[in-house]
Amino acid sequence: MDYLEIEGGCKLSGNVTISGAKNSALAVIAATILSDKEVTLTNLPNVVDIRTLLKLLTMLGAKVEHNDTVAKIDCSTISSTRAVYEIVAQMRASILVLGPLLSRFKHCEVSLPGGCAIGQRPIDLHIKAVEALGAEVTLEQGYVVAKAEDGLKGNKIIFDKITVGGTENALMAAAMADGVTEIVNAAKEPEIVQLSEMLNMGGAKVEGIGTGRLKVHGTNGKPLDFSEPVEIIPDRIEAGTYLCVGAITNSEITLDKVNVEHIQTSIEKLEAMGCDFYIKNDSVTIKPVAELKGVNIVTTEYPGFPTDMQAQFMAVATLASEDSLIEERLFENRFMHVSELNRLGADIWLKGNVAAVRPVKELIGAEVMATDLRASSALVIAALAAKGTTKIRRIYHLDRGYDRLEEKLSNIGAKIVRKKS
Ligand code: UD1
């Protein structure tokens, strides 16, 4: 199995080009199911999760041509509406095919995603959303079976809890429904904005984009027509991760092709820790800082501090000069990186959903294990600052979501190699 070997303590410098956002790309790929014509997607990140969803579409009968950052997807040939366990178990986000399959084909079967390393992560809100639009949903032998023989009908969907994936499924289900759907307490993440704009381009009409109250005028069964290529927005989590790399290694790093607004909370938290930035158009430079201050973080929905940046900031906080407090409000079990960071010499204490990070003078390389996608990147960040060599195992988690990680880090001077054990 592959592992990463990182020699820490190097000062880094140079530019990193940020790839397309994995999470946005996943929703956009799912939305191509709503069309019976070829759709072109550009700026896709070259990561395993994208290939997994494209494989699922192929298994459903779609024609997919994929080459690095570009995919041409033709869903006119879909002949099956069953998303099998083999794929859904690999990637939870496969549940995103529920809304579009049901909307276009009036039935579908999607395997239940099963356990997940960062908590229980149920899909009850996805199911309630399509039920509100008239679908009949049953659970049969591990599959969510959804039917709407007369097609979905516009209605009000009120989410008890803000859910990114649930909002995406609701939007895609409503896009081809008959009538108007109102989505209350919708997520406002940039990924939702991109998906809404794509649906508008395809012929549905989404109003209230970027707010918690979305109104979708469905096409009453008419497939969408995405005549323009969809360019995936920059990955705000990848960008935030490289900012954390700059902060912990006291380096000057410039990120190119970012959307500065999308990474505002990460920039503000790093400013609170003492970091300086130079921002010009779509590039951001983080300046070296001799001493990092402590930080207090509470993860919340966008535009608040993203849960997907929590682990990376914890890694940076280990070497601050003051205590930090990090509260995780979205996922109940998203602290698996704590014990691994402590193996590198960090001093982190957990109580419930709050982590107290006490500063240490140095981190020291060790063998550690990646546990989920963002936890893995926290280990990379810590390893880049640690004295000596760190081996990170189970890096298939990183490959799910970080495009060309070793290449991007090597280009700015990091000593990082992928090896086989
Ligand atoms: C998406 C992101 C993930 C990010 C998360 C929160 C993708 C592919 N993944 O995940 O990287 O960490 O948003 O920003 O875009 N919940 C329920 N029932 C449901 C659905 C969700 O209780 O049916 C709960 C979850 O357990 C969690 C909270 O709602 O506590 C938010 O989850 P949600 O926003 O749905 O996350 P995902 O869409 O799975």
Side-chain angles (χ1 to χ4, degrees):
M1 222 190 270
D2 289 4
Y3 67 93
L4 283 179
E5 196 170 276
I6 297 176
E7 194 71 38
C10 297
K11 192 117 173 170
L12 312 177
S13 79
N15 292 53
V16 177
T17 301
I18 297 305
S19 298
K22 168 186 82 79
N23 287 351
S24 208
L26 291 173
V28 163
I29 291 170
T32 64
I33 294 173
L34 294 165
S35 179
D36 59 358
K37 297 202 173 79
E38 186 179 87
V39 188
T40 302
L41 310 182
T42 64
N43 200 34
L44 289 168
N46 193 345
V47 297
V48 170
D49 273 8
I50 298 302
R51 294 194 285 276
T52 304
L53 190 56
L54 290 175
K55 184 171 169 202
L56 174 57
L57 259 58
T58 309
M59 286 168 83
L60 298 177
K63 283 191 213 130
V64 176
E65 271 175 50
H66 179 212
N67 184 3
D68 193 9
T69 58
V70 178
K72 287 183 192 295
I73 304 174
D74 177 356
C75 290
S76 66
T77 49
I78 285 187
S79 51
S80 159
T81 55
R82 189 172 173 85
V84 294
Y85 179 69
E86 178 198 336
I87 297 282
V88 184
Q90 281 174 43
M91 188 186 64
R92 246 196 127 259
S94 314
I95 189 69
L96 290 176
V97 300
L98 171 75
L101 280 177
L102 183 59
S103 198
R104 181 159 160 224
F105 298 99
K106 302 182 180 160
H107 62 86
C108 68
E109 307 88 46
V110 181
S111 169
L112 281 168
C116 170
I118 60 170
Q120 209 188 352
R121 296 184 88 173
I123 55 159
D124 56 316
L125 301 173
H126 299 245
I127 294 174
K128 275 189 194 151
V130 294
E131 280 178 338
L133 302 187
E136 243 180 66
V137 182
T138 49
L139 290 182
E140 292 172 25
Q141 295 175 316
Y143 279 74
V144 175
V145 178
K147 290 181 192 147
E149 274 164 26
D150 299 326
L152 295 172
K153 306 266 179 275
N155 199 354
K156 197 169 197 170
I157 299 171
I158 304 178
F159 282 117
D160 295 340
K161 204 175 190 181
I162 298 178
T163 157
V164 175
T167 304
E168 289 165 347
N169 252 331
L171 276 167
M172 292 185 279
M176 279 179 66
D178 174 14
V180 181
T181 298
E182 212 181 326
I183 308 174
V184 180
N185 207 20
K188 306 186 195 91
E189 269 69 3
E191 295 77 46
I192 305 285
V193 172
Q194 167 139 68
L195 175 63
S196 303
E197 285 169 352
M198 174 182 178
L199 296 177
N200 276 350
M201 187 257 283
K205 191 168 154 215
V206 184
E207 293 169 340
I209 296 180
T211 74
R213 195 175 269 262
L214 299 168
K215 214 179 215 188
V216 189
H217 300 257
T219 61
N220 193 9
K222 183 168 176 255
L224 273 58
D225 183 356
F226 304 112
S227 48
E228 309 277 321
V230 180
E231 182 181 349
I232 305 301
I233 57 171
D235 195 316
R236 61 198 168 101
I237 306 302
E238 189 197 22
T241 302
Y242 284 103
L243 291 181
C244 287
V245 167
I248 201 168
T249 59
N250 190 16
S251 303
E252 178 161 329
I253 300 174
T254 297
L255 310 186
D256 295 318
K257 283 182 81 176
V258 292
N259 182 319
V260 178
E261 197 190 320
H262 296 170
I263 56 170
Q264 207 51 48
T265 45
S266 290
I267 290 177
E268 277 167 18
K269 284 295 171 194
L270 286 169
E271 275 173 345
M273 295 180 88
C275 298
D276 274 334
F277 292 88
Y278 174 71
I279 297 173
K280 194 175 174 205
N281 304 328
D282 66 351
S283 84
V284 175
T285 302
I286 181 165
K287 304 277 187 186
V289 55
E291 190 176 89
L292 289 163
K293 295 181 201 152
V295 67
N296 289 334
I297 286 173
V298 177
T299 65
T300 51
E301 295 87 3
Y302 190 86
F305 187 89
T307 174
D308 285 352
M309 284 305 302
Q310 180 255 103
Q312 301 89 317
F313 268 78
M314 193 181 294
V316 178
T318 60
L319 290 178
S321 57
E322 300 164 325
D323 290 357
S324 298
L325 275 183
I326 300 181
E327 184 178 341
E328 172 57 56
R329 289 225 182 131
L330 289 186
F331 293 109
E332 73 272 20
N333 188 23
R334 204 170 197 180
F335 279 136
M336 308 233 297
H337 42 286
V338 168
S339 53
E340 299 304 299
L341 288 171
N342 283 347
R343 286 175 58 75
L344 295 171
D347 186 7
I348 308 169
W349 294 80
L350 269 183
K351 191 159 188 212
N353 64 338
V354 179
V357 188
R358 295 184 184 149
V360 291
K361 289 251 167 325
E362 60 181 11
L363 296 172
I364 301 190
E367 258 188 65
V368 290
M369 201 174 73
T371 49
D372 69 56
L373 174 57
R374 307 305 170 184
S376 317
S377 61
L379 297 179
V380 172
I381 290 166
L384 288 167
K387 212 165 141 186
T389 308
T390 298
K391 284 184 186 172
I392 306 179
R393 302 205 178 269
R394 301 202 183 171
I395 54 167
Y396 49 82
H397 290 293
L398 276 170
D399 294 336
R400 286 188 43 206
Y402 283 93
D403 188 2
R404 290 166 259 243
L405 179 84
E406 300 108 272
E407 187 186 316
K408 291 187 187 189
L409 284 171
S410 299
N411 285 347
I412 54 172
K415 290 190 180 148
I416 175 168
V417 278
R418 181 181 289 250
K419 292 191 167 173
K420 284 200 187 297
S421 57

Short mmCIF file of all heavy atoms in Angstrom, two decimals, residues 138-174:
data_model
loop_
_atom_site.label_atom_id
_atom_site.label_comp_id
_atom_site.label_asym_id
_atom_site.label_seq_id
_atom_site.Cartn_x
_atom_site.Cartn_y
_atom_site.Cartn_z
N THR A 138 -39.06 3.71 -0.06
CA THR A 138 -39.01 2.56 0.84
C THR A 138 -37.55 2.11 0.95
O THR A 138 -36.72 2.46 0.09
CB THR A 138 -39.85 1.38 0.30
OG1 THR A 138 -39.49 1.17 -1.08
CG2 THR A 138 -41.33 1.66 0.39
N LEU A 139 -37.28 1.35 1.98
CA LEU A 139 -35.94 0.78 2.11
C LEU A 139 -36.04 -0.70 1.85
O LEU A 139 -36.81 -1.40 2.50
CB LEU A 139 -35.40 1.01 3.53
CG LEU A 139 -35.06 2.46 3.88
CD1 LEU A 139 -34.48 2.55 5.29
CD2 LEU A 139 -34.06 3.04 2.88
N GLU A 140 -35.32 -1.16 0.84
CA GLU A 140 -35.40 -2.58 0.49
C GLU A 140 -34.01 -3.16 0.35
O GLU A 140 -33.24 -2.73 -0.52
CB GLU A 140 -36.17 -2.74 -0.84
CG GLU A 140 -37.64 -2.38 -0.70
CD GLU A 140 -38.37 -2.35 -2.04
OE1 GLU A 140 -37.93 -3.02 -2.99
OE2 GLU A 140 -39.38 -1.62 -2.11
N GLN A 141 -33.70 -4.08 1.23
CA GLN A 141 -32.42 -4.80 1.19
C GLN A 141 -31.22 -3.87 1.03
O GLN A 141 -30.37 -4.07 0.16
CB GLN A 141 -32.44 -5.82 0.05
CG GLN A 141 -33.49 -6.89 0.32
CD GLN A 141 -33.63 -7.86 -0.83
OE1 GLN A 141 -33.66 -7.45 -2.00
NE2 GLN A 141 -33.73 -9.12 -0.51
N GLY A 142 -31.20 -2.85 1.85
CA GLY A 142 -30.04 -1.95 1.85
C GLY A 142 -30.11 -0.86 0.79
O GLY A 142 -29.15 -0.10 0.62
N TYR A 143 -31.21 -0.81 0.07
CA TYR A 143 -31.35 0.21 -0.98
C TYR A 143 -32.49 1.17 -0.65
O TYR A 143 -33.54 0.75 -0.15
CB TYR A 143 -31.63 -0.43 -2.35
CG TYR A 143 -30.35 -0.93 -3.00
CD1 TYR A 143 -29.71 -2.08 -2.52
CD2 TYR A 143 -29.75 -0.24 -4.05
CE1 TYR A 143 -28.53 -2.53 -3.09
CE2 TYR A 143 -28.57 -0.68 -4.61
CZ TYR A 143 -27.96 -1.82 -4.13
OH TYR A 143 -26.79 -2.25 -4.69
N VAL A 144 -32.28 2.45 -0.98
CA VAL A 144 -33.37 3.42 -0.93
C VAL A 144 -34.07 3.30 -2.28
O VAL A 144 -33.45 3.53 -3.32
CB VAL A 144 -32.80 4.86 -0.81
CG1 VAL A 144 -33.91 5.89 -0.89
CG2 VAL A 144 -32.01 5.01 0.48
N VAL A 145 -35.33 2.90 -2.25
CA VAL A 145 -36.08 2.75 -3.50
C VAL A 145 -37.07 3.91 -3.58
O VAL A 145 -37.93 4.05 -2.72
CB VAL A 145 -36.81 1.39 -3.55
CG1 VAL A 145 -37.63 1.25 -4.83
CG2 VAL A 145 -35.82 0.25 -3.41
N ALA A 146 -36.91 4.75 -4.58
CA ALA A 146 -37.76 5.95 -4.68
C ALA A 146 -38.54 5.90 -5.99
O ALA A 146 -37.99 5.60 -7.05
CB ALA A 146 -36.89 7.20 -4.63
N LYS A 147 -39.84 6.21 -5.87
CA LYS A 147 -40.71 6.17 -7.07
C LYS A 147 -41.60 7.40 -7.09
O LYS A 147 -42.08 7.84 -6.04
CB LYS A 147 -41.63 4.95 -7.02
CG LYS A 147 -40.92 3.65 -7.22
CD LYS A 147 -41.91 2.49 -7.20
CE LYS A 147 -41.12 1.19 -7.09
NZ LYS A 147 -41.77 0.15 -6.35
N ALA A 148 -41.83 7.93 -8.27
CA ALA A 148 -42.80 9.03 -8.44
C ALA A 148 -43.43 8.82 -9.81
O ALA A 148 -43.04 9.46 -10.79
CB ALA A 148 -42.08 10.37 -8.36
N GLU A 149 -44.36 7.87 -9.86
CA GLU A 149 -44.90 7.44 -11.15
C GLU A 149 -45.44 8.57 -12.02
O GLU A 149 -45.26 8.57 -13.23
CB GLU A 149 -45.98 6.38 -10.94
CG GLU A 149 -45.36 4.99 -10.84
CD GLU A 149 -46.31 3.95 -10.26
OE1 GLU A 149 -47.53 4.13 -10.40
OE2 GLU A 149 -45.79 2.98 -9.67
N ASP A 150 -46.07 9.56 -11.38
CA ASP A 150 -46.61 10.69 -12.16
C ASP A 150 -45.64 11.86 -12.22
O ASP A 150 -46.04 12.99 -12.54
CB ASP A 150 -47.95 11.16 -11.54
CG ASP A 150 -48.96 10.03 -11.56
OD1 ASP A 150 -48.92 9.23 -12.52
OD2 ASP A 150 -49.75 9.93 -10.60
N GLY A 151 -44.40 11.62 -11.84
CA GLY A 151 -43.40 12.70 -11.85
C GLY A 151 -43.44 13.47 -10.54
O GLY A 151 -44.43 13.41 -9.80
N LEU A 152 -42.36 14.18 -10.25
CA LEU A 152 -42.30 14.96 -9.00
C LEU A 152 -43.10 16.24 -9.15
O LEU A 152 -43.20 16.80 -10.25
CB LEU A 152 -40.84 15.28 -8.66
CG LEU A 152 -39.96 14.06 -8.34
CD1 LEU A 152 -38.49 14.46 -8.22
CD2 LEU A 152 -40.42 13.36 -7.05
N LYS A 153 -43.68 16.69 -8.03
CA LYS A 153 -44.50 17.91 -8.05
C LYS A 153 -43.87 18.93 -7.12
O LYS A 153 -43.51 18.61 -5.97
CB LYS A 153 -45.92 17.61 -7.51
CG LYS A 153 -46.61 16.46 -8.23
CD LYS A 153 -47.50 16.97 -9.38
CE LYS A 153 -48.18 15.83 -10.10
NZ LYS A 153 -47.41 15.19 -11.16
N GLY A 154 -43.77 20.17 -7.58
CA GLY A 154 -43.19 21.23 -6.76
C GLY A 154 -43.91 21.38 -5.44
O GLY A 154 -45.13 21.20 -5.37
N ASN A 155 -43.16 21.68 -4.38
CA ASN A 155 -43.74 21.81 -3.04
C ASN A 155 -42.75 22.57 -2.16
O ASN A 155 -41.68 22.95 -2.62
CB ASN A 155 -44.02 20.41 -2.47
CG ASN A 155 -45.02 20.43 -1.33
OD1 ASN A 155 -45.42 21.50 -0.87
ND2 ASN A 155 -45.41 19.26 -0.88
N LYS A 156 -43.09 22.72 -0.89
CA LYS A 156 -42.18 23.38 0.04
C LYS A 156 -41.35 22.31 0.74
O LYS A 156 -41.91 21.32 1.23
CB LYS A 156 -43.02 24.15 1.06
CG LYS A 156 -42.24 25.19 1.83
CD LYS A 156 -43.22 26.07 2.59
CE LYS A 156 -42.56 27.33 3.04
NZ LYS A 156 -43.50 28.31 3.56
N ILE A 157 -40.04 22.50 0.75
CA ILE A 157 -39.15 21.58 1.49
C ILE A 157 -38.53 22.41 2.61
O ILE A 157 -37.86 23.40 2.34
CB ILE A 157 -38.03 21.04 0.58
CG1 ILE A 157 -38.61 20.24 -0.59
CG2 ILE A 157 -37.04 20.20 1.38
CD1 ILE A 157 -37.58 19.84 -1.65
N ILE A 158 -38.80 22.00 3.85
CA ILE A 158 -38.20 22.74 4.97
C ILE A 158 -37.15 21.82 5.62
O ILE A 158 -37.50 20.77 6.15
CB ILE A 158 -39.25 23.17 6.01
CG1 ILE A 158 -40.34 23.99 5.31
CG2 ILE A 158 -38.61 23.97 7.14
CD1 ILE A 158 -41.48 24.43 6.22
N PHE A 159 -35.90 22.22 5.54
CA PHE A 159 -34.85 21.40 6.16
C PHE A 159 -34.75 21.74 7.65
O PHE A 159 -34.59 22.90 8.02
CB PHE A 159 -33.50 21.65 5.48
CG PHE A 159 -33.36 20.93 4.16
CD1 PHE A 159 -33.20 21.65 2.98
CD2 PHE A 159 -33.36 19.55 4.10
CE1 PHE A 159 -33.06 20.99 1.76
CE2 PHE A 159 -33.23 18.88 2.89
CZ PHE A 159 -33.08 19.59 1.73
N ASP A 160 -34.81 20.71 8.51
CA ASP A 160 -34.65 20.93 9.96
C ASP A 160 -33.24 21.35 10.27
O ASP A 160 -32.96 22.00 11.27
CB ASP A 160 -34.89 19.60 10.73
CG ASP A 160 -36.31 19.12 10.57
OD1 ASP A 160 -37.16 19.96 10.23
OD2 ASP A 160 -36.55 17.91 10.78
N LYS A 161 -32.32 20.91 9.42
CA LYS A 161 -30.91 21.14 9.65
C LYS A 161 -30.33 21.55 8.30
O LYS A 161 -30.80 21.05 7.26
CB LYS A 161 -30.31 19.77 10.03
CG LYS A 161 -29.06 19.79 10.81
CD LYS A 161 -28.75 18.33 11.17
CE LYS A 161 -27.63 18.26 12.16
NZ LYS A 161 -27.31 16.88 12.50
N ILE A 162 -29.35 22.41 8.30
CA ILE A 162 -28.77 22.81 7.01
C ILE A 162 -27.90 21.67 6.49
O ILE A 162 -27.00 21.19 7.19
CB ILE A 162 -27.94 24.10 7.15
CG1 ILE A 162 -28.85 25.24 7.62
CG2 ILE A 162 -27.25 24.45 5.84
CD1 ILE A 162 -28.16 26.57 7.84
N THR A 163 -28.18 21.24 5.28
CA THR A 163 -27.42 20.14 4.70
C THR A 163 -27.01 20.48 3.26
O THR A 163 -27.86 20.86 2.44
CB THR A 163 -28.23 18.81 4.74
OG1 THR A 163 -27.74 17.92 3.72
CG2 THR A 163 -29.73 18.99 4.50
N VAL A 164 -25.73 20.34 2.99
CA VAL A 164 -25.22 20.67 1.66
C VAL A 164 -25.75 19.65 0.65
O VAL A 164 -26.42 20.00 -0.33
CB VAL A 164 -23.66 20.68 1.66
CG1 VAL A 164 -23.12 20.89 0.25
CG2 VAL A 164 -23.14 21.75 2.60
N GLY A 165 -25.47 18.37 0.90
CA GLY A 165 -25.90 17.34 -0.03
C GLY A 165 -27.42 17.29 -0.16
O GLY A 165 -27.97 17.10 -1.25
N GLY A 166 -28.12 17.47 0.96
CA GLY A 166 -29.58 17.45 0.94
C GLY A 166 -30.12 18.58 0.08
O GLY A 166 -31.07 18.39 -0.71
N THR A 167 -29.53 19.77 0.21
CA THR A 167 -29.97 20.91 -0.62
C THR A 167 -29.70 20.62 -2.10
O THR A 167 -30.52 20.93 -2.97
CB THR A 167 -29.24 22.21 -0.18
OG1 THR A 167 -29.49 22.41 1.22
CG2 THR A 167 -29.73 23.41 -0.96
N GLU A 168 -28.54 20.01 -2.38
CA GLU A 168 -28.21 19.70 -3.78
C GLU A 168 -29.21 18.71 -4.36
O GLU A 168 -29.71 18.88 -5.49
CB GLU A 168 -26.78 19.15 -3.86
CG GLU A 168 -25.75 20.25 -3.61
CD GLU A 168 -24.34 19.75 -3.31
OE1 GLU A 168 -24.14 18.55 -3.05
OE2 GLU A 168 -23.43 20.59 -3.32
N ASN A 169 -29.54 17.67 -3.58
CA ASN A 169 -30.52 16.70 -4.08
C ASN A 169 -31.88 17.34 -4.27
O ASN A 169 -32.58 17.07 -5.26
CB ASN A 169 -30.62 15.51 -3.11
CG ASN A 169 -29.98 14.27 -3.69
OD1 ASN A 169 -29.95 14.09 -4.93
ND2 ASN A 169 -29.45 13.41 -2.85
N ALA A 170 -32.26 18.23 -3.33
CA ALA A 170 -33.56 18.91 -3.45
C ALA A 170 -33.59 19.77 -4.71
O ALA A 170 -34.58 19.76 -5.47
CB ALA A 170 -33.80 19.77 -2.21
N LEU A 171 -32.50 20.49 -4.97
CA LEU A 171 -32.44 21.36 -6.16
C LEU A 171 -32.59 20.53 -7.44
O LEU A 171 -33.33 20.89 -8.36
CB LEU A 171 -31.09 22.08 -6.21
CG LEU A 171 -30.94 23.36 -5.40
CD1 LEU A 171 -29.47 23.75 -5.29
CD2 LEU A 171 -31.74 24.49 -6.05
N MET A 172 -31.84 19.41 -7.49
CA MET A 172 -31.85 18.60 -8.72
C MET A 172 -33.20 17.89 -8.89
O MET A 172 -33.68 17.75 -10.02
CB MET A 172 -30.69 17.61 -8.70
CG MET A 172 -29.34 18.31 -8.81
SD MET A 172 -27.95 17.18 -8.95
CE MET A 172 -27.67 16.69 -7.26
N ALA A 173 -33.80 17.48 -7.77
CA ALA A 173 -35.13 16.85 -7.87
C ALA A 173 -36.14 17.87 -8.36
O ALA A 173 -36.99 17.57 -9.21
CB ALA A 173 -35.53 16.28 -6.51
N ALA A 174 -36.05 19.10 -7.83
CA ALA A 174 -37.03 20.14 -8.17
C ALA A 174 -36.86 20.64 -9.61
O ALA A 174 -37.81 21.16 -10.21
CB ALA A 174 -36.90 21.30 -7.20
#
